[in-house]
Amino acid sequence: GREHGMSLGLAFGEVHSNWARARLGDRESGMTRLKEALAAYLGQGNKLCVPVFQGRLAELEAEGADADGALHRIDEALALANETGEHWTDALLHRIRGAILLKRGPPNTAPAEEAFLGAIAVAQAQKARSFELQAALALAKLYQSTSRPVGAHAVLAPALEGFSPTPEMPEIAEAEALIAALLETDEVKAEAARRQRRTQLHAAYGNALLHARGYGAPETAEAFARARESAFGDKDAPERLAADYGLWVGSFIRGELSPMRAHAETFLSDVAARPDSPEAGVAHRTGGITHWFAGEYRDAREHLERALALFQPGRDDNLAFRFGHDPGVAAMVYLALTLWPLGDIGRAISLVRDAEARSTGLAHIGARPYGKGHAAMFELMRGDLALSRST
């Protein structure tokens, strides 16, 4: 096993060094040696990592004007990946195919566009964000060169989200510069205004459906998903945060813990830049309720205490119209449901009474039944059937 590992490492090093030699100037010699190294590697019966070797060799062949041979090599690489199940390079290979097709076939860019879109689709399915950004950047540059700035921005902006520039991945800085240039065009400015309006409508529709059709209804989730999808680029946009909550609460009502965790984490990430905002309190509420649902009481307490600390009566009264329920009442009742199992009996009971008192004086139509219903659940949990009935 040790000898095999060493020989494999040496083979990888040989392939890499010859690829680097070819890229850094001695292309013909490097390509020849790279082909020899790859043939020797295959001759030993090895298939591991051959698709990535083939892809990089195809790039070099295309640079030497052998586009047809390069495309054939990409086909071989993808076929081998399908044969062995080694799919980690699929997005990379489709992106290389797109670059080769673009080099070979102007002015018809459709085949290259299809390859880049294929690379993005694969990367998204695999959650391979770096591969997605590289493919999106290539496609955005193609769209920009063919006078389609709106398309360029639409494909690149969501792929870039969450990345910070680093010398180790120069494509990030290049993508940021391209986004900045695209945002200065009249076409992208007009589309941004239209997108913002669509986002606002989707979020408003989702909030209406929460009460008309129910939190877990498919159409409710769809409306918030569309709002979230169209709200990329502005993490603390009101519509985006409303969508974060809408997607989380639908998963909560349906009892789907994994999506609950994912949506709560996204919500907390989106408010990270404003940790003391009212919306941050709602985000901590979703995180706390998620932990409570899973029986993770200590983690739940930490988030719910933070949610209650951030709550300010008066200032936050209208948040119920964006986030389902009054933030004070919701934080109180779920903190009570968390504290009682942890043994803090007196404070838990006090929080339930405070939540009921607050809910009776609010304008939001759902506040009072929400407070009363959760007070009843609290009494059921602790086994006080008389109080549960009277509540």
Side-chain angles (χ1 to χ4, degrees), residues 173-364:
E174 186 179 359
E176 287 187 335
L178 179 52
I179 285 289
L182 292 168
L183 287 172
E184 293 301 314
T185 65
D186 292 338
E187 297 93 333
V188 172
K189 288 179 180 177
E191 177 58 26
R194 287 192 291 268
R195 179 169 56 83
Q196 183 181 33
R197 182 57 180 157
R198 285 196 302 270
T199 303
Q200 291 170 343
L201 290 172
H202 285 311
Y205 186 47
N207 277 315
L209 288 173
L210 281 178
H211 300 286
R213 299 292 177 82
Y215 293 82
E219 54 266 46
T220 306
E222 183 180 357
F224 282 119
R226 288 181 176 177
R228 186 64 173 73
E229 181 181 353
S230 62
F232 59 81
D234 187 2
K235 281 198 167 188
D236 60 357
E239 296 79 20
R240 174 167 171 150
L241 301 182
D244 286 341
Y245 174 79
L247 292 170
W248 172 84
V249 77
S251 299
F252 177 41
I253 293 299
R254 292 188 296 271
E256 299 168 347
L257 180 57
S258 291
M260 284 170 65
R261 290 193 194 277
H263 293 312
E265 182 178 346
T266 297
F267 197 172
L268 286 164
S269 174
D270 284 348
V271 300
R274 295 197 299 139
D276 297 324
S277 65
E279 292 82 3
V282 181
H284 279 287
R285 183 177 103 212
T286 66
I289 295 174
T290 300
H291 285 299
W292 166 83
F293 181 89
E296 298 159 354
Y297 294 115
R298 292 187 180 275
D299 291 331
R301 178 177 189 167
E302 180 179 344
H303 281 286
L304 291 167
E305 292 279 19
R306 181 61 180 157
L308 189 56
L310 288 171
F311 168 66
Q312 293 183 21
R315 183 198 67 173
D316 299 341
D317 290 358
N318 288 330
L319 286 182
F321 296 95
R322 290 171 52 201
F323 299 109
H325 297 289
D326 177 74
V329 173
M332 291 174 195
V333 295
Y334 278 100
L335 183 54
L337 288 166
T338 298
L339 291 178
W340 194 92
L342 289 173
D344 195 343
I345 308 303
R347 185 162 177 239
I349 292 173
S350 178
L351 282 167
V352 171
R353 303 299 172 250
D354 290 346
E356 286 190 282
R358 175 169 170 78
S359 67
T360 59
L362 293 171
H364 190 272

